Amino acid sequence: MKILLFGHDGQVGTELRRSLALVGEVVAPPLAGGALCGDLCDAEGIRATLESVRPDVIVNAAGHTAVDRAEDEPDAAMRVNADGPALLARLAGRHGAWLVHYSTDYVYDGTGTRPWKEDDAAAPLSVYGASKLAGDAAVAGHARHLILRTSWVYAAHGENFARTILRLGRERSELKIIDDQVGAPTPADLLANATAHMLHAALREPALAGLYNVAPAGETSWHGYAVELLRLARARGLPVRVAESAVLPIPSSAYSVRARRPHNSRLDTTRFRRTFGLTLPDWREPLARFIETLQQ
């Protein structure tokens, strides 16, 4: 079986190269400069790549993820996050391939405190959220699809909140972190492992196609996330300058950003757990392993 992976060098894509190797042969085209095309904005290149590879599965881990920059370049965000997945969905249909895609808590408006279910109404607050929602809709139009909706992704590589906090914790004596946005930090390797398991099951039972929330159990604020990160780093002997008492909670209104963020990013993962018979760890557990990874 051939698996065509887009976005192979991102946080999730890097982990997918490992996890999907257990399912089939992974073909990961570069963004530019190769015989195959990995640029979702290059429609002709993508078509030619599909014709050449003829994959059984297409996995789209590519995306325009610069949330604030998307407010200033909405066309670019829509090309990558909406038009690209729509093209993949059409081509997947033509080739009879499965299509795996990744979604985000940013498709919701963040009201209330109840965890969002997959069939709750979406109402994105930002260009990024709107572009991702449009991509979700396009992928869902292809019968053989799996969409994993998640939140607050991090990894030991790439740019993310966890790595930024650890760097700032080494450099500064005080940090101010938002405490009124709540969700679950999700490690990229958890998403990759879940993808491999889901895909293996869906290939045997196509009725499992659909949208699934995937995130660790429990919840925290960005402030709580930062405090736990720095506590774990300190306990493992990593350099931390800032004292725990100097990691100060602030409301999101005190922090100026271009794009509005949802206050409630909790995701209900019941459908995923019941369908695939898996248990999701509390968000603190993989965070501890992440800290250990940084020491290797």
Side-chain angles (χ1 to χ4, degrees), residues 54-112:
R54 295 195 171 273
D56 302 287
V57 178
I58 303 167
V59 179
N60 178 34
H64 185 299
T65 58
V67 176
D68 291 313
R69 197 168 74 226
E71 297 295 314
D72 298 314
E73 49 185 44
D75 291 343
M78 290 298 290
R79 281 196 300 273
V80 177
N81 293 342
D83 298 343
L87 173 63
L88 293 180
R90 292 194 297 273
L91 294 174
R94 186 178 304 168
H95 289 270
W98 276 85
L99 178 56
V100 181
H101 181 70
Y102 299 89
S103 182
T104 172
D105 57 294
Y106 278 60
V107 303
Y108 300 114
D109 65 8
T111 56

Side-chain angles (χ1 to χ4, degrees), residues 123-139:
L125 303 173
S126 64
V127 169
Y128 169 72
S131 68
K132 290 296 292 181
L133 182 61
D136 294 353
V139 171

Side-chain angles (χ1 to χ4, degrees), residues 28 33 77 89 169 191 232 245 249 269 278:
L191 286 175
L232 289 167
S245 59
T269 62
L278 296 176

Side-chain angles (χ1 to χ4, degrees), residues 208 212 268-279:
L208 298 180
Y212 297 90
D268 186 325
T269 62
T270 303
R271 177 183 293 177
F272 168 79
R273 290 182 286 108
R274 287 180 177 172
T275 301
F276 296 100
L278 296 176
T279 299

Side-chain angles (χ1 to χ4, degrees), residues 34-46:
L36 301 176
C37 176
D39 183 357
L40 295 187
C41 295
D42 182 352
E44 288 307 314
I46 295 296

Side-chain angles (χ1 to χ4, degrees), residues 158-217:
E159 296 183 11
N160 54 66
F161 179 84
R163 286 168 54 86
T164 298
I165 288 298
L166 291 175
R167 175 178 58 81
L168 295 177
R170 292 192 304 268
E171 299 172 350
R172 299 185 183 181
S173 58
E174 181 181 273
L175 297 177
K176 295 179 180 179
I177 311 293
I178 290 170
D179 73 339
D180 58 359
Q181 296 172 12
V182 177
T186 305
D189 61 351
L190 182 149
L191 286 175
N193 292 340
T195 299
H197 183 92
M198 295 167 71
L199 187 54
H200 181 72
L203 288 168
R204 290 182 285 111
E205 191 176 345
L208 298 180
L211 166 64
Y212 297 90
N213 290 337
V214 183

Side-chain angles (χ1 to χ4, degrees), residues 139-159:
V139 171
H142 173 59
R144 294 189 170 191
H145 72 273
L146 290 170
I147 300 174
L148 285 72
R149 182 164 287 161
T150 193
S151 63
W152 301 12
V153 176
Y154 68 92
H157 45 84
E159 296 183 11

